[in-house]
Amino acid sequence: MKIKPIESAPEQALDWYEAGRKPALATVVETWGSAPRRVGAQLVIAADGEMQGSVSGGCVEGAVMIEALEALEDGKSRLLEFGVSDDDAFAVGLACGGTIRVLVEPVGPDAMPPDVLKNLVAHRAARTPVAYVTGLTGGAGHLALAPGYADRFRMDRSGVEEDGETFVAIHNPPLRLAVVGAVHIAQALVPMARIAGFDPVLIDPRGAFGSQARFPGETILEDWPDEALAAYGLDTRTALVLLTHDPKLDDPALHQALASDCFYIGALGSKRTHAKRVERLTQDGFTAEQIARIHGPVGLDIGAASPSEIAVSILAEMLRVLRQGA
């Protein structure tokens, strides 16, 4: 059985619920060994037997569907445990198997209340980090917003709490990267960032730089950076990298960034260039604490020389700040 994973399980469940199709959500809550899917992976099952998503890549979906259909009959959640054999794991691309626990929750008042599901989907649409919290032994789930579960939000880590009875599913917005300056470094950074899970956008009013010939298939905004970023929106899951060396482009973008909650701000330039940047921003009324958010010179100090190496150092610093907060 081949099941394609989806990243929109709550949205699919809500669509089916509003269409009267009585859905249940199955979520991986714990794993041991080389389980095929990570904690938080979800499968949506409708009462008519249709499934979307995956909790094991196809190893146990059939059994989960049977349990889900029974859960839909009585409206109660179920905690299931499966051992994935080495042969089954190999069939979905892993060298060895493991054990997974799966929580099945029918959408209903005694498991996943419809209002909670609707609010979860609304938070996801608004790019608001939100956690879905529920008991493994039954009861209705609820939502929790940041700053609660700060470590889990920072690490994108769903899991069972220390009490062994509470599961926290982290729903972070997708990571984004705004790059100001369609230069050589950007040509390396953008595809690297995409591989690392970021959705990048390029901003450069100079059409000769930000062309599809140089960045095939990428989203390119030919606007002034401050206007583009104001429309784009900088939030807690967005990184900003400035690569132009030109204060006319970089400084307006920094004004937007320093007034936002973006998790990372990096600006290309030498220590001397950054000192001048700090002086200008100070004259513009920004505090030392605000300016200290800027990583300049940008990137980890790994002796990077070529544009590609500099891109590696920038991406590594972005990930360090995302995961470690510094």
Side-chain angles (χ1 to χ4, degrees):
M1 177 185 296
K2 282 195 173 181
I3 306 292
K4 182 181 178 181
I6 58 172
E7 304 302 328
S8 56
E11 288 78 7
Q12 184 67 76
L14 181 60
D15 285 347
W16 285 354
Y17 175 79
E18 291 180 340
R21 297 183 63 187
K22 294 182 64 178
L25 273 162
T27 307
V28 177
V29 296
E30 285 185 294
T31 65
W32 297 267
S34 297
R37 295 279 279 147
R38 64 177 292 182
V39 171
Q42 291 188 306
L43 171 70
V44 191
I45 306 99
D48 57 18
E50 184 176 350
M51 295 187 296
Q52 293 286 337
S54 173
V55 291
S56 74
C59 303
V60 302
E61 269 71 12
V64 172
M65 181 181 72
I66 293 172
E67 294 284 351
L69 294 177
E70 293 181 0
L72 286 168
E73 289 294 325
D74 61 24
K76 306 294 184 182
S77 61
R78 284 164 166 70
L79 183 62
L80 316 174
E81 184 171 319
F82 300 98
V84 180
S85 70
D86 288 353
D87 287 343
D88 287 340
F90 189 80
V92 294
L94 296 175
C96 55
T99 302
I100 60 175
R101 295 176 81 189
V102 177
L103 180 65
V104 176
E105 297 174 284
V107 177
D110 297 325
M112 179 175 282
D115 286 347
V116 171
L117 178 60
K118 290 178 183 178
N119 287 335
L120 172 60
V121 170
H123 283 304
R124 284 166 57 96
R127 290 185 57 83
T128 304
V130 62
Y132 173 72
V133 185
T134 190
L136 296 178
T137 56
H142 65 277
L143 300 182
L145 299 176
Y149 304 105
D151 289 342
R152 290 196 179 278
F153 277 115
R154 187 178 69 252
M155 298 303 295
D156 282 320
R157 185 173 294 164
S158 302
V160 177
E161 291 285 87
E162 291 184 359
D163 62 10
E165 297 181 355
T166 304
F167 176 68
V168 180
I170 295 298
H171 293 266
N172 266 326
L175 291 165
R176 300 189 302 172
L177 167 63
V179 178
V180 175
V183 298
H184 285 161
I185 295 172
Q187 287 180 297
L189 177 59
V190 166
M192 288 180 187
R194 188 176 297 284
I195 291 172
F198 290 81
D199 184 13
V201 61
L202 280 157
I203 301 170
D204 200 317
R206 304 166 297 181
F209 283 78
S211 66
Q212 283 295 321
R214 301 182 72 234
F215 295 91
E218 297 298 341
T219 300
I220 304 169
L221 305 179
E222 279 192 40
D223 297 319
W224 286 96
D226 54 340
E227 297 173 359
L229 291 174
Y232 180 67
L234 296 171
D235 57 29
T236 59
R237 295 281 287 177
T238 304
L240 173 66
V241 175
L242 309 173
L243 300 176
T244 72
H245 271 302
D246 187 343
K248 294 193 302 296
L249 298 175
D250 286 354
D251 286 8
L254 284 171
H255 286 205
Q256 289 285 334
L258 294 177
S260 77
D261 293 326
C262 62
F263 77 85
Y264 176 85
I265 306 168
L268 187 68
S270 65
K271 291 182 180 178
R272 182 179 178 182
T273 298
H274 187 63
K276 292 181 178 179
R277 181 184 294 130
V278 169
E279 184 179 344
R280 292 194 305 272
L281 291 171
T282 301
Q283 292 175 352
D284 290 337
F286 290 96
T287 67
E289 183 179 8
Q290 287 176 304
I291 297 171
R293 295 177 58 198
I294 304 170
H295 294 266
V298 69
L300 296 182
D301 185 5
I302 59 174
S306 69
S308 294
E309 291 176 356
I310 295 171
V312 169
S313 74
I314 294 171
L315 181 58
E317 187 172 62
M318 286 165 48
L319 292 173
R320 186 191 68 183
V321 173
L322 174 68
R323 301 308 183 194
Q324 298 180 358

